[in-house]
Amino acid sequence: MNDMTVTLNLLSYVDSLMTCGDFNHVSAQPALMSTTINSYIYHGVMTTGSRGPDICLETSMVDIDTLIAAKCGSSQSQRGKSNRNRCFLLKNLKLMRRALLQMHLAHNSVAKVLGICVASSRTSLKKLEELKSAGVVIMREFGRPFDIVKAQLWSWEARLKAAYQLLGLVLFLSNTPLGSVPILDWSPSNFQLDSANNIKIISFGDHLETNEPSCTQDHHCRINTISTGIKCSKTGLCSGYNSMSNLYQVSTSILFDLLQNPTDLKNDSLHLHARLIDGLSASSITVREAHLVAQQLVATTTQNTYNEFNTPKKDDVAQSEVLFDSSYHHQPVVVINDIQDFVAAHGPSNIMEQGVGLGMVQFSKNPNNHDSRLQMFNKIDDKDFPGKHDYYCPNSKAEWGCIKSLQTAEEAAGFCLADIKCKAFVTIPHLRKQGWIIAILKSDSTKPSHHPGINLYVKDRNKTSSYQTSLDSAAVDESCVAGLIEMQHVERRKRELKLMQVCGRVGWNDQQWSDVMSTAHIHDAQAFKPAHGDSPIGGQMSVDLLNPAKIAPLSSIFTAKNGPLEYSASQISVYRLDRLLGIYKILPAVERVLSRVELAEANFPVDIGGNMFDKFKPLKRSDGSLSGVIIPSAEHLVTLEHYIKVPKLDDVTAAVTRFNARQLDDMEYLIVGHLASIPFPVRGHMSWQGRLLFTKTDSAFVTGTNEYLPYFYNCQFPAGPVALLRSALLNSCALLETISGAQSNLELPAAMGKIFTDHLNKLIEIVDLCVAKFGEDQVIINLS
């Protein structure tokens, strides 16, 4: 201990760091800002000195189990000074290691460690009584929490600046004095903003590993199953893996959110932005290249303040495939990339001066206007929403809205019906593709403006309330909970993107998975596993999905089970429940009927005598087809967690202990498991990067379980799912019908209705009891 104290004092002197003397001048009762898995973080205010006045104080959160295992603080502990010193170091080891690492890897985008105090004097020990501490305090640079949702509302220049700083940090980590350093936690919660709005990482984590992963083949160097061009070297290492892993993680966690919807970019900037986004999306750009492109983009981008609806300039028109006059004063430009011939023929000045815009073009008669999907909409001619109600959707033709290039209005109606955010859409004729249209989906349908040549289609609630979208869309009763879902759509989209990474497809969404699983060619069925239970009906097989888009085969699982303990229909219902609540702990699931020919081509089992029997035969229809469910295979990507981070209690807690973000995430996992009555995992919980998931749900809704209830006694519940369930009960929404849907070919467990209703009531009873005891603000926690 003395040696350590001397070393720290010497370090403080050489680097002019703050000491315990400075800590003693922190104002009384510092406020607890947040907690992590192993530390407490306080907001301190310096009463004297040149540092501050605001600083962060970090102390260690002691792991009792670790201390007991090390014979510290138990009846078996030794009483000598050396053992006390050993236990003191054990309590603070991770905290001090993190601080020293940050001091060694100093960078403009790393929160600066200002000093370390190992309290020994009476004054310092007295001061420590105001904090939860194990005897050591780290003093570091103060910053405001970085909120990715709020950051998306910043000006384009501010978002670009933050993205450039993050890329600079990734570049620095690629070649530090310690080597190439991988960071495991790139989540927004691990970043803060200083007084000048510079973004800085808070912690490098507890597990520093500078060695590149070992390998024997190139595919061992893939990042989350994605090839990034890293090859297995002759020395048996994936050289460059750490660097590309950092780039991949920061892109999916933060960069894509910051870089969407750029404003007022000129030609060079548009090209640079597209190059950066395309490179990050495809993992085809190196860290140094990404940083250089971002640097050029910063240098060339305009410095105007953020304005979502800039009027296009003449120079911008030449870069557009479609220019539509969506308002007389505020007109977005749809940038799609194949109208060069049109522009060349008319010239940008002629387009602007002669009014060769879509308002001057008449719609061709659409033979599909009376299609069943269009009947769900009320058509209004010559109406539009100028610069209003736009929202981004995947695969949009422009970053500022949900833009689709389609052949018919009926296709647009299908997209809108499948998207809970969409309340209306407008159609505009395509300038180059004769007979095609541009459809712009809208999130609201209020106060349209007159605009000749534009057709508006508004959802008819009386018709769409009973309309069933495809089985994978998790449709809900809009009249009950659509408003809440719309309010949560930003957070839901973030969760969807993260879950898609588990499936090995960055940037995908449920609809894309549904499209592939519904249409892809089934190939190479193997490894039949029978369903569980006495006299089980059906089973499952591993299959590959061959996609016309020529991406690599997608490993998936086809299940066709009909009791007594497992049902394929349960997988669809749990998936719908999960998406209804916006939790995203369940992999996409799609019902599909495989024809006799498809089954034969994929080598499904057949009756050939001997010991070779078709175990699916009881479920096949008279034409030889088989109904089942397809889900992505993720077993090779997930790990096993043996413990849930939520305490298990015998009764409602006597005092609320505020959950951290990871515990609330686990609580959402427990809520889905309880409501669906998924048998509580006894061998451990499936996890991806610390987030618990259910990868097996075919045993849901079969028998009731009370094993999840003790975790709810902590009286800490995520606000989003609870608000939705409360609203649904208050408005008598048909939740059971929503999640059970209309599976035309699959049979649900007989007790599903009673089990779901009982489990829902039990959950809400505990929530209400906790709220009555502690108050809403202490029990219902907003994750954002």
Side-chain angles (χ1 to χ4, degrees):
M1 279 291 295
N2 290 335
D3 290 343
M4 183 187 72
T5 303
V6 169
T7 301
L8 290 175
N9 288 339
L10 180 62
L11 182 64
S12 298
Y13 175 78
V14 172
D15 291 345
S16 300
L17 300 177
M18 298 174 72
T19 64
C20 289
D22 298 292
F23 170 65
N24 296 339
H25 291 290
V26 173
S27 60
Q29 302 300 326
L32 180 64
M33 293 171 53
S34 62
T35 60
T36 68
I37 294 175
N38 50 26
S39 66
Y40 301 97
I41 300 174
Y42 295 85
H43 177 193
V45 178
M46 298 296 299
T47 56
T48 61
S50 59
R51 309 288 179 93
D54 297 295
I55 63 170
C56 283
L57 306 173
E58 184 175 2
T59 61
S60 180
M61 180 186 294
V62 176
D63 186 339
I64 301 299
D65 292 337
T66 300
L67 292 180
I68 292 175
K71 296 183 179 180
C72 293
S74 67
S75 59
Q76 300 178 351
S77 300
Q78 299 177 11
R79 305 296 181 183
K81 182 178 180 181
S82 62
N83 190 62
R84 290 199 304 271
N85 289 341
R86 180 181 68 86
C87 293
F88 178 88
L89 290 174
L90 183 62
K91 294 176 186 177
N92 295 285
L93 178 62
K94 291 183 178 180
L95 177 70
M96 296 180 66
R97 187 164 55 191
R98 289 197 302 271
L100 292 172
L101 178 62
Q102 281 182 241
M103 293 166 65
H104 192 63
L105 299 180
H107 185 266
N108 290 337
S109 293
V110 176
K112 187 176 182 180
V113 173
L114 302 177
I116 302 175
C117 171
V118 180
S120 57
S121 70
R122 182 176 301 176
T123 304
S124 298
L125 291 171
K126 181 70 174 177
K127 189 69 181 176
L128 269 183
E129 294 178 0
E130 300 175 9
L131 311 174
K132 293 181 179 179
S133 139
V136 176
V137 180
I138 305 300
M139 295 165 279
R140 59 176 170 79
E141 180 181 6
F142 179 78
R144 308 185 316 278
F146 173 64
D147 187 326
I148 188 63
V149 176
K150 293 180 180 177
Q152 292 177 71
L153 303 178
W154 292 351
S155 70
W156 165 240
E157 287 73 23
R159 287 183 282 125
L160 179 58
K161 170 190 170 185
Y164 178 57
Q165 290 175 343
L166 288 171
L167 287 170
L169 174 61
V170 177
L171 181 62
F172 165 73
L173 293 171
S174 300
N175 187 25
T176 75
L178 298 178
S180 181
V181 177
I183 303 299
L184 299 182
D185 184 8
W186 286 95
S187 62
S189 60
N190 194 29
F191 288 84
Q192 66 182 34
L193 300 171
D194 67 11
S195 57
N197 252 28
N198 296 307
I199 188 168
K200 301 191 176 188
I201 193 168
I202 298 171
S203 172
F204 290 133
D206 296 317
H207 306 288
L208 179 67
E209 176 61 64
T210 58
N211 294 327
E212 305 277 15
S214 59
C215 59
T216 56
Q217 299 180 34
D218 288 346
H219 70 82
H220 294 157
C221 300
R222 292 183 176 183
I223 297 174
N224 199 28
T225 75
I226 298 170
S227 175
T228 60
I230 300 173
K231 304 295 184 182
C232 185
S233 68
K234 294 180 180 179
T235 59
L237 295 176
C238 298
S239 300
Y241 182 96
N242 292 345
S243 178
M244 288 301 292
S245 177
N246 284 338
L247 182 62
Y248 168 81
Q249 291 187 71
V250 74
S251 297
T252 55
S253 296
I254 302 178
L255 290 184
F256 288 141
D257 286 329
L258 291 179
L259 293 172
Q260 67 179 356
N261 303 327
T263 59
D264 200 24
L265 296 187
K266 294 184 178 180
N267 297 347
D268 291 344
S269 297
L270 281 171
H271 171 73
L272 291 168
H273 178 264
R275 180 182 170 192
L276 181 60
I277 292 297
D278 291 346
L280 295 175
S281 299
S283 294
S284 60
I285 191 171
T286 67
V287 173
R288 189 169 298 279
E289 289 169 343
H291 183 259
L292 179 60
V293 173
Q295 186 179 49
Q296 294 171 334
L297 186 57
V298 169
T300 59
T301 194
T302 59
Q303 298 300 314
N304 295 338
T305 56
Y306 179 73
N307 178 3
E308 188 174 359
F309 306 112
N310 285 307
T311 302
K313 301 175 177 62
K314 292 184 180 182
D315 292 342
D316 298 329
V317 180
Q319 299 299 313
S320 304
E321 173 203 13
V322 179
L323 171 66
F324 71 92
D325 183 10
S326 184
S327 91
Y328 298 114
H329 303 292
H330 305 286
Q331 47 197 41
V333 176
V334 183
V335 179
I336 319 175
N337 297 316
D338 61 356
I339 195 169
Q340 288 84 354
D341 295 343
F342 178 86
V343 175
H346 294 83
S349 60
N350 290 334
I351 294 175
M352 298 300 292
E353 294 169 7
Q354 298 176 15
V356 186
L358 298 181
M360 301 294 181
V361 182
Q362 297 298 316
F363 278 92
S364 59
K365 297 294 182 181
N366 188 341
N368 294 319
N369 277 347
H370 298 290
D371 181 271
S372 59
R373 285 185 283 186
L374 276 181
Q375 291 177 9
M376 304 294 164
F377 294 80
N378 295 319
K379 181 184 177 185
I380 308 173
D381 294 331
D382 301 327
K383 292 292 183 181
D384 187 15
F385 299 108
K388 294 191 299 185
H389 312 325
D390 292 307
Y391 67 95
Y392 179 75
C393 66
N395 302 316
S396 172
K397 294 293 185 180
E399 300 247 352
W400 55 264
C402 186
I403 319 299
K404 303 289 183 181
S405 177
L406 306 169
Q407 289 184 288
T408 66
E410 185 269 331
E411 290 180 88
F415 276 108
C416 191
L417 287 169
D419 189 343
I420 191 65
K421 297 187 290 293
C422 182
K423 301 297 184 294
F425 66 91
V426 296
T427 60
I428 301 164
H430 206 294
L431 283 184
R432 185 179 180 195
K433 297 180 181 178
Q434 188 169 1
W436 284 55
I437 60 171
I438 296 295
I440 304 124
L441 276 58
K442 299 287 185 174
S443 62
D444 199 351
S445 58
T446 57
K447 298 182 179 179
S449 300
H450 179 70
H451 196 128
I454 306 295
N455 284 357
L456 168 63
Y457 296 84
V458 178
K459 271 185 182 177
D460 187 327
R461 290 194 171 218
N462 294 327
K463 297 175 182 177
T464 58
S465 60
S466 60
Y467 181 83
Q468 293 292 323
T469 60
S470 59
L471 285 170
D472 64 297
S473 64
V476 298
D477 182 351
E478 289 188 12
S479 62
C480 283
V481 293
L484 279 172
I485 290 176
E486 172 63 24
M487 290 173 61
Q488 301 168 2
H489 80 269
V490 173
E491 178 64 26
R492 285 172 177 252
R493 177 56 180 154
K494 287 168 55 181
R495 291 165 178 247
E496 181 182 42
L497 286 171
K498 288 183 179 179
L499 182 62
M500 293 303 109
Q501 296 177 43
V502 185
C503 308
R505 288 292 174 265
V506 178
W508 277 35
N509 58 25
D510 277 337
Q511 187 62 50
Q512 287 168 292
W513 262 111
S514 171
D515 292 343
V516 171
M517 293 189 293
S518 299
T519 61
H521 178 67
I522 306 295
H523 178 70
D524 195 23
Q526 55 182 302
F528 175 84
K529 293 181 180 179
H532 292 109
D534 295 332
S535 302
I537 303 174
Q540 69 182 51
M541 298 194 76
S542 298
V543 298
D544 283 341
L545 304 184
L546 303 184
N547 191 340
K550 297 182 179 180
I551 61 176
L554 301 175
S555 298
S556 302
I557 297 173
F558 177 86
T559 75
K561 302 178 182 180
N562 195 26
L565 299 181
E566 296 174 339
Y567 293 80
S568 294
S570 293
Q571 295 173 289
I572 296 290
S573 292
V574 178
Y575 165 61
R576 285 177 165 165
L577 171 65
D578 177 75
R579 296 307 192 265
L580 172 67
L581 298 177
I583 289 177
Y584 290 89
K585 295 288 186 182
I586 307 296
L587 301 178
V590 172
E591 180 183 356
R592 179 162 172 181
V593 179
L594 299 183
S595 68
R596 179 177 56 82
V597 174
E598 287 178 306
L599 292 170
E601 290 179 346
N603 294 320
F604 272 73
V606 294
D607 279 331
I608 59 175
N611 62 350
M612 298 296 292
F613 294 99
D614 180 2
K615 302 296 181 62
F616 292 115
K617 191 172 182 179
L619 298 177
K620 288 184 176 178
R621 296 187 289 188
S622 58
D623 62 358
S625 61
L626 176 64
S627 297
V629 171
I630 297 179
I631 60 173
S633 176
E635 296 297 331
H636 60 297
L637 294 173
V638 297
T639 56
L640 199 64
E641 293 276 348
H642 294 286
Y643 302 101
I644 290 181
K645 297 174 180 64
V646 176
K648 186 177 181 180
L649 305 181
D650 294 328
D651 202 351
V652 174
T653 183
V656 169
T657 299
R658 196 77 164 189
F659 276 8
N660 58 36
R662 185 63 60 83
Q663 289 175 307
L664 285 171
D665 189 75
D666 283 5
M667 183 59 78
E668 292 190 333
Y669 166 86
L670 294 166
I671 287 175
V672 172
H674 170 73
L675 292 175
S677 190
I678 299 172
F680 196 86
V682 294
R683 296 181 180 178
H685 307 268
M686 291 297 119
S687 169
W688 182 79
Q689 293 190 356
R691 298 186 71 243
L692 300 184
L693 304 166
F694 286 108
T695 58
K696 177 176 168 52
T697 59
D698 49 18
S699 53
F701 301 116
V702 176
T703 57
T705 177
N706 291 323
E707 291 202 57
Y708 293 89
L709 296 179
Y711 298 95
F712 300 151
Y713 294 153
N714 289 277
C715 291
Q716 292 286 277
F717 299 98
V722 170
L724 193 142
L725 291 172
R726 282 174 161 179
S727 177
L729 290 173
L730 181 65
N731 293 291
S732 301
C733 296
L735 285 182
L736 179 60
E737 289 77 5
T738 296
I739 65 173
S740 61
Q743 285 108 338
S744 56
N745 301 291
L746 301 174
E747 182 177 337
L748 287 161
M752 175 180 172
K754 182 179 186 305
I755 288 173
F756 175 72
T757 302
D758 289 348
H759 284 217
L760 174 59
N761 289 335
K762 286 179 182 178
L763 173 62
I764 296 302
E765 284 175 9
I766 296 176
V767 172
D768 291 344
L769 177 63
C770 290
V771 170
K773 187 173 182 179
F774 300 109
E776 185 95 8
D777 60 332
Q778 294 298 311
V779 173
I780 309 301
I781 311 301
N782 197 323
L783 280 170
S784 60

